[in-house]
């Protein structure tokens, strides 16, 4: 199962609504099992990590005059790329587990954008499970997000124009990626890939998509994009991730060099009498 390491906690407000940033984590995913390797016959890249920054959260709107006792807010829960790019290149499907009071509380979204909208009156925790493509990872990733309907400052009147926005930034890390996964995403703007040493011989990448062309799962022009929060520290976190990958690649290179040295017979030292 994947594990997470603690990271800094961010907090802040957004001018166009009541917004807050939640705790950021780094979810490290294990490699595909050996059975998966045999089935795909796909080599793994040792000492390599691929990072995928994501944002998940909710945006809720008060219904105003249309509000009733049991239907006061409309809200959307979602997973998006940190730069609003299509995550379908990595994520196969997302499962949202809603409160049991909802009809069909387990909602499965099979294609990007990975989101769903509902309406109700209460706040609760939403479990989000991400499943990845077969050449990415055979483990699922579980995330948890608390739906917030009411702004922190409840002294003022509610408004239908400014939603309550709560988002979390995470970085999913895939260790020892498959060659096919690496090749597929090495030119994708939503994915951070390391610069491989010259000794790595990978097949040439396929046709490079026009990064300016809107994809099915892009959220740049999403109806709610005006409310998406800007993560001022995201760029720095991405730079740190890239630097970490370079260091790990260098450590791997040194390990290989040491293994070669250890395998060579040591030259006998001359005696003092010679």
């Amino acid at each position: 199962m994947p594990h997470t390491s603690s990271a800094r906690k961010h907090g802040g407000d957004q001018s166009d609504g009541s917004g807050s940033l939640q705790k950021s984590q780094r979810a490290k995913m294990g490699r595909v099992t050996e059975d998966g390797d045999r089935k795909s016959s796909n080599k793994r890249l040792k000492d390599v990590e691929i990072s995928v920054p994501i944002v998940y959260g909710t945006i809720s709107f008060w219904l105003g005059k249309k509000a009733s006792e049991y239907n006061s807010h409309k809200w959307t829960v979602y997973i998006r790329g940190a730069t609003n790019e299509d995550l379908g290149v990595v994520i196969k499907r997302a499962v949202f587990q809603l409160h049991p009071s909802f009809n069909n509380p387990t909602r499965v979204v099979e294609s990007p954008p990975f989101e769903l909208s509902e309406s109700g009156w209460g706040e609760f925790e939403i479990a989000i499970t991400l499943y990845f493509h077969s050449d990415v990872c055979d483990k699922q990733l579980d995330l948890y997000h608390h739906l917030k309907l009411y702004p922190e400052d409840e002294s003022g009147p509610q408004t239908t124009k400014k939603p309550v926005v709560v988002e979390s930034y995470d970085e999913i890390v895939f260790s020892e990626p498959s060659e096919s996964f690496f090749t597929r995403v090495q030119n994708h703007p939503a994915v951070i890939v390391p610069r491989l040493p010259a000794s790595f011989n990978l097949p040439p990448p396929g046709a490079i998509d026009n990064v300016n062309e809107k994809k099915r799962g892009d959220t740049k022009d999403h109806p709610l994009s005006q409310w998406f929060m800007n993560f001022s520290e995201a760029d720095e976190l991405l730079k740190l991730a890239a630097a970490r990958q370079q260091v790990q690649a260098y450590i791997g290179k040194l390990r290989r060099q040491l293994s070669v040295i250890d395998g060579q017979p040591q030259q006998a030292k001359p005696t003092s009498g010679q």
Side-chain angles (χ1 to χ4, degrees):
M1 295 297 293
H3 65 276
T4 57
S5 59
S6 61
R8 290 174 294 179
K9 186 173 183 180
H10 312 297
D13 294 325
Q14 183 168 306
S15 58
D16 292 329
S18 175
S20 62
L21 299 176
Q22 298 299 304
K23 181 174 65 175
S24 173
Q25 296 180 338
R26 183 173 183 263
K28 191 165 185 178
M29 308 298 295
R31 53 160 292 169
V32 176
T33 62
E34 293 298 329
D35 287 341
D37 282 350
R38 284 195 291 268
K39 289 179 182 178
S40 63
S41 300
N42 204 346
K43 292 176 60 179
R44 318 299 300 184
L45 300 179
K46 303 290 185 180
D47 305 313
V48 174
E49 287 186 345
I50 289 179
S51 300
V52 182
I54 65 168
V55 174
Y56 59 98
T58 50
I59 296 179
S60 61
F61 288 86
W62 180 52
L63 295 178
K65 294 181 179 180
K66 298 179 181 179
S68 63
E69 182 180 1
Y70 296 106
N71 193 32
S72 60
H73 291 76
K74 181 176 180 179
W75 50 266
T76 299
V77 58
Y78 52 86
I79 301 99
R80 64 179 177 89
T83 52
N84 293 323
E85 305 288 351
D86 185 357
L87 291 176
V89 70
V90 178
I91 299 174
K92 183 178 182 180
R93 68 179 179 273
V95 178
F96 300 89
Q97 186 65 46
L98 306 183
H99 191 273
S101 61
F102 282 86
N103 292 327
N104 184 25
T106 302
R107 308 289 178 87
V108 181
V109 180
E110 297 283 0
S111 62
F114 299 103
E115 64 181 33
L116 69 87
S117 297
E118 262 292 355
S119 60
W121 57 272
E123 299 180 345
F124 59 92
E125 185 177 67
I126 302 174
I128 307 170
T129 303
L130 302 182
Y131 295 87
F132 306 98
H133 293 293
S134 58
D135 65 343
V136 176
C137 185
D138 59 357
K139 294 182 174 65
Q140 66 192 45
L141 177 62
D142 296 318
L143 304 171
Y144 299 91
H145 179 81
H146 189 80
L147 170 64
K148 189 172 181 59
L149 303 181
Y150 303 94
E152 293 289 345
D153 183 10
E154 298 183 0
S155 59
Q158 290 193 76
T159 174
T160 59
K161 296 182 179 180
K162 294 182 179 180
V164 175
V165 184
V166 179
E167 293 190 328
S168 299
Y169 172 93
D170 272 324
E171 174 192 341
I172 310 175
V173 181
F174 299 95
S175 301
E176 298 185 11
S178 66
E179 285 188 357
S180 64
F181 177 34
F182 188 97
T183 302
R184 190 173 74 252
V185 302
Q186 61 180 305
N187 296 307
H188 198 285
V191 181
I192 304 173
V193 297
R195 180 177 298 177
L196 296 181
S199 59
F200 282 90
N201 294 318
L202 290 177
I208 300 176
D209 293 330
N210 183 357
V211 296
N212 295 320
E213 181 182 349
K214 181 170 170 42
K215 309 294 190 305
R216 178 179 58 180
D218 280 349
T219 52
K220 295 177 182 177
D221 299 325
H222 193 283
L224 299 176
S225 62
Q226 63 174 313
W227 309 112
F228 289 160
M229 302 190 73
N230 295 320
F231 288 80
S232 59
E233 296 185 45
D235 290 340
E236 293 300 321
L237 290 171
L238 300 186
K239 291 177 183 178
L240 289 173
R244 180 171 56 250
Q245 290 171 343
Q246 291 180 357
V247 170
Q248 290 172 341
Y250 185 68
I251 291 174
K253 179 180 179 181
L254 292 179
R255 286 176 178 171
R256 289 190 292 271
Q257 291 176 344
L258 288 174
S259 64
V260 171
I261 294 174
D262 291 341
Q264 294 178 348
Q266 298 297 316
Q267 182 179 1
K269 294 182 179 180
T271 61
S272 58
Q274 290 180 333

